[in-house]
Tab-separated table of all heavy atoms in Angstrom:
chain	number	residue	atom	x	y	z
A	222	ALA	N	4.944	31.136	-13.102
A	222	ALA	CA	6.400	31.364	-12.842
A	222	ALA	C	6.972	30.272	-11.950
A	222	ALA	O	8.080	29.826	-12.205
A	222	ALA	CB	6.532	32.725	-12.168
A	223	GLU	N	6.225	29.815	-10.973
A	223	GLU	CA	6.685	28.716	-10.060
A	223	GLU	C	6.848	27.431	-10.878
A	223	GLU	O	7.784	26.665	-10.713
A	223	GLU	CB	5.721	28.507	-8.955
A	223	GLU	CG	5.720	29.595	-7.875
A	223	GLU	CD	4.669	29.374	-6.838
A	223	GLU	OE1	3.464	29.299	-7.179
A	223	GLU	OE2	5.018	29.221	-5.668
A	224	LEU	N	5.902	27.147	-11.756
A	224	LEU	CA	5.963	25.962	-12.608
A	224	LEU	C	7.219	25.988	-13.474
A	224	LEU	O	7.931	24.983	-13.558
A	224	LEU	CB	4.727	25.812	-13.472
A	224	LEU	CG	4.585	24.443	-14.155
A	224	LEU	CD1	4.091	23.400	-13.167
A	224	LEU	CD2	3.609	24.573	-15.314
A	225	LYS	N	7.451	27.128	-14.101
A	225	LYS	CA	8.612	27.246	-14.992
A	225	LYS	C	9.922	27.145	-14.221
A	225	LYS	O	10.870	26.446	-14.638
A	225	LYS	CB	8.556	28.587	-15.702
A	225	LYS	CG	9.676	28.756	-16.759
A	225	LYS	CD	9.491	30.083	-17.508
A	225	LYS	CE	10.583	30.235	-18.562
A	225	LYS	NZ	10.435	31.510	-19.271
A	226	GLN	N	9.993	27.744	-13.047
A	226	GLN	CA	11.253	27.733	-12.267
A	226	GLN	C	11.522	26.364	-11.642
A	226	GLN	O	12.690	25.938	-11.618
A	226	GLN	CB	11.150	28.837	-11.170
A	226	GLN	CG	12.420	28.865	-10.342
A	226	GLN	CD	12.358	29.973	-9.234
A	226	GLN	OE1	11.488	30.877	-9.382
A	226	GLN	NE2	13.251	29.907	-8.258
A	227	ASN	N	10.499	25.723	-11.125
A	227	ASN	CA	10.731	24.519	-10.291
A	227	ASN	C	10.356	23.199	-10.968
A	227	ASN	O	10.771	22.133	-10.454
A	227	ASN	CB	9.938	24.652	-8.973
A	227	ASN	CG	10.344	25.873	-8.190
A	227	ASN	OD1	11.516	26.241	-8.131
A	227	ASN	ND2	9.369	26.492	-7.537
A	228	HIS	N	9.631	23.260	-12.079
A	228	HIS	CA	9.134	21.995	-12.630
A	228	HIS	C	9.272	21.920	-14.188
A	228	HIS	O	8.429	21.358	-14.849
A	228	HIS	CB	7.653	21.813	-12.241
A	228	HIS	CG	7.416	21.915	-10.783
A	228	HIS	ND1	7.729	20.921	-9.904
A	228	HIS	CD2	6.887	22.945	-10.059
A	228	HIS	CE1	7.427	21.275	-8.662
A	228	HIS	NE2	6.916	22.498	-8.722
A	229	SER	N	10.332	22.572	-14.722
A	229	SER	CA	10.494	22.590	-16.118
A	229	SER	C	11.275	21.391	-16.696
A	229	SER	O	11.230	21.091	-17.887
A	229	SER	CB	11.180	23.856	-16.559
A	229	SER	OG	12.496	23.967	-15.956
A	230	LYS	N	12.001	20.672	-15.814
A	230	LYS	CA	12.749	19.473	-16.275
A	230	LYS	C	11.789	18.283	-16.255
A	230	LYS	O	10.771	18.302	-15.620
A	230	LYS	CB	13.937	19.240	-15.391
A	230	LYS	CG	14.979	20.372	-15.499
A	230	LYS	CD	16.203	20.050	-14.637
A	230	LYS	CE	17.254	21.156	-14.785
A	230	LYS	NZ	18.479	20.897	-13.972
A	231	MET	N	12.234	17.207	-16.962
A	231	MET	CA	11.335	16.034	-17.098
A	231	MET	C	12.059	14.767	-16.775
A	231	MET	O	12.252	13.868	-17.653
A	231	MET	CB	10.745	16.001	-18.503
A	231	MET	CG	9.936	17.250	-18.856
A	231	MET	SD	8.939	17.017	-20.306
A	231	MET	CE	7.678	15.894	-19.727
A	232	PRO	N	12.522	14.570	-15.542
A	232	PRO	CA	13.177	13.327	-15.153
A	232	PRO	C	12.140	12.230	-14.930
A	232	PRO	O	10.984	12.501	-14.771
A	232	PRO	CB	13.830	13.708	-13.833
A	232	PRO	CG	12.890	14.725	-13.249
A	232	PRO	CD	12.432	15.529	-14.415
A	233	HIS	N	12.603	11.004	-14.967
A	233	HIS	CA	11.743	9.898	-14.649
A	233	HIS	C	12.583	8.636	-14.449
A	233	HIS	O	13.797	8.692	-14.501
A	233	HIS	CB	10.664	9.673	-15.695
A	233	HIS	CG	9.321	9.238	-15.128
A	233	HIS	ND1	9.221	8.487	-13.955
A	233	HIS	CD2	8.058	9.421	-15.510
A	233	HIS	CE1	7.955	8.279	-13.669
A	233	HIS	NE2	7.207	8.832	-14.634
A	234	GLY	N	11.925	7.530	-14.261
A	234	GLY	CA	12.628	6.258	-14.062
A	234	GLY	C	11.739	5.280	-13.356
A	234	GLY	O	10.511	5.487	-13.243
A	235	GLY	N	12.335	4.198	-12.870
A	235	GLY	CA	11.562	3.254	-12.171
A	235	GLY	C	12.209	1.893	-12.086
A	235	GLY	O	13.367	1.734	-12.491
A	236	PHE	N	11.433	0.891	-11.568
A	236	PHE	CA	11.981	-0.442	-11.340
A	236	PHE	C	10.974	-1.486	-11.770
A	236	PHE	O	9.767	-1.315	-11.543
A	236	PHE	CB	12.308	-0.678	-9.853
A	236	PHE	CG	13.055	0.432	-9.160
A	236	PHE	CD1	12.388	1.540	-8.653
A	236	PHE	CD2	14.411	0.369	-9.057
A	236	PHE	CE1	13.101	2.608	-8.060
A	236	PHE	CE2	15.155	1.411	-8.436
A	236	PHE	CZ	14.475	2.488	-7.913
A	237	VAL	N	11.441	-2.558	-12.330
A	237	VAL	CA	10.649	-3.785	-12.419
A	237	VAL	C	11.394	-4.834	-11.614
A	237	VAL	O	12.553	-5.109	-11.862
A	237	VAL	CB	10.498	-4.292	-13.892
A	237	VAL	CG1	9.822	-5.641	-13.913
A	237	VAL	CG2	9.724	-3.294	-14.702
A	238	ILE	N	10.699	-5.433	-10.653
A	238	ILE	CA	11.330	-6.409	-9.752
A	238	ILE	C	10.481	-7.689	-9.803
A	238	ILE	O	9.260	-7.652	-9.606
A	238	ILE	CB	11.406	-5.910	-8.308
A	238	ILE	CG1	12.111	-4.540	-8.228
A	238	ILE	CG2	12.092	-6.927	-7.439
A	238	ILE	CD1	12.067	-3.869	-6.889
A	239	ARG	N	11.140	-8.797	-10.083
A	239	ARG	CA	10.513	-10.128	-9.977
A	239	ARG	C	11.089	-10.829	-8.807
A	239	ARG	O	12.302	-11.073	-8.680
A	239	ARG	CB	10.782	-10.912	-11.261
A	239	ARG	CG	10.158	-12.337	-11.240
A	239	ARG	CD	8.634	-12.315	-11.418
A	239	ARG	NE	8.077	-13.667	-11.469
A	239	ARG	CZ	6.801	-13.908	-11.574
A	239	ARG	NH1	5.948	-12.953	-11.626
A	239	ARG	NH2	6.348	-15.180	-11.605
A	240	SER	N	10.222	-11.174	-7.856
A	240	SER	CA	10.646	-11.888	-6.684
A	240	SER	C	10.127	-13.300	-6.757
A	240	SER	O	8.934	-13.569	-6.787
A	240	SER	CB	10.092	-11.232	-5.409
A	240	SER	OG	10.414	-11.942	-4.249
A	241	GLY	N	11.077	-14.332	-6.885
A	241	GLY	CA	10.688	-15.648	-7.143
A	241	GLY	C	11.265	-16.632	-6.132
A	241	GLY	O	12.216	-16.310	-5.376
A	242	LYS	N	10.730	-17.831	-6.132
A	242	LYS	CA	11.218	-18.943	-5.267
A	242	LYS	C	11.592	-20.102	-6.130
A	242	LYS	O	10.895	-20.481	-7.043
A	242	LYS	CB	10.103	-19.347	-4.313
A	242	LYS	CG	9.577	-18.223	-3.367
A	242	LYS	CD	10.545	-17.999	-2.223
A	242	LYS	CE	9.915	-17.050	-1.204
A	242	LYS	NZ	10.801	-16.759	-0.067
A	243	THR	N	12.708	-20.741	-5.787
A	243	THR	CA	13.123	-21.969	-6.457
A	243	THR	C	13.524	-22.997	-5.351
A	243	THR	O	13.526	-22.635	-4.177
A	243	THR	CB	14.334	-21.773	-7.386
A	243	THR	OG1	15.422	-21.251	-6.621
A	243	THR	CG2	13.983	-20.821	-8.545
A	244	GLY	N	13.807	-24.174	-5.772
A	244	GLY	CA	14.159	-25.206	-4.787
A	244	GLY	C	12.988	-26.178	-4.523
A	244	GLY	O	11.827	-25.824	-4.731
A	245	VAL	N	13.327	-27.325	-3.914
A	245	VAL	CA	12.282	-28.374	-3.648
A	245	VAL	C	11.194	-27.815	-2.764
A	245	VAL	O	10.032	-28.059	-3.008
A	245	VAL	CB	12.989	-29.570	-2.997
A	245	VAL	CG1	11.887	-30.620	-2.568
A	245	VAL	CG2	14.003	-30.194	-3.949
A	246	ASP	N	11.576	-27.088	-1.716
A	246	ASP	CA	10.592	-26.543	-0.791
A	246	ASP	C	10.438	-25.026	-0.891
A	246	ASP	O	10.057	-24.405	0.103
A	246	ASP	CB	11.009	-26.989	0.626
A	246	ASP	CG	10.979	-28.475	0.816
A	246	ASP	OD1	9.989	-29.127	0.416
A	246	ASP	OD2	11.929	-28.978	1.454
A	247	GLU	N	10.782	-24.525	-2.045
A	247	GLU	CA	10.689	-23.048	-2.279
A	247	GLU	C	11.490	-22.294	-1.225
A	247	GLU	O	11.148	-21.235	-0.780
A	247	GLU	CB	9.260	-22.542	-2.262
A	247	GLU	CG	8.335	-23.220	-3.257
A	247	GLU	CD	6.904	-22.634	-3.257
A	247	GLU	OE1	6.677	-21.652	-2.506
A	247	GLU	OE2	6.068	-23.174	-3.960
A	248	GLU	N	12.700	-22.867	-0.953
A	248	GLU	CA	13.511	-22.299	0.129
A	248	GLU	C	14.494	-21.240	-0.352
A	248	GLU	O	15.141	-20.534	0.446
A	248	GLU	CB	14.310	-23.376	0.862
A	248	GLU	CG	15.414	-24.049	0.041
A	248	GLU	CD	14.962	-25.149	-0.901
A	248	GLU	OE1	13.729	-25.276	-1.097
A	248	GLU	OE2	15.815	-25.899	-1.402
A	249	THR	N	14.595	-21.089	-1.683
A	249	THR	CA	15.612	-20.187	-2.267
A	249	THR	C	14.958	-18.919	-2.844
A	249	THR	O	14.061	-19.006	-3.700
A	249	THR	CB	16.430	-20.869	-3.351
A	249	THR	OG1	16.924	-22.138	-2.835
A	249	THR	CG2	17.579	-20.012	-3.808
């Protein structure tokens, strides 16, 4: 009963993040 009442929906999501450096001395 608790599972049905509180956990019946199926949301999700997330992130892909690329952290990079550019510039002569990787300053950017």
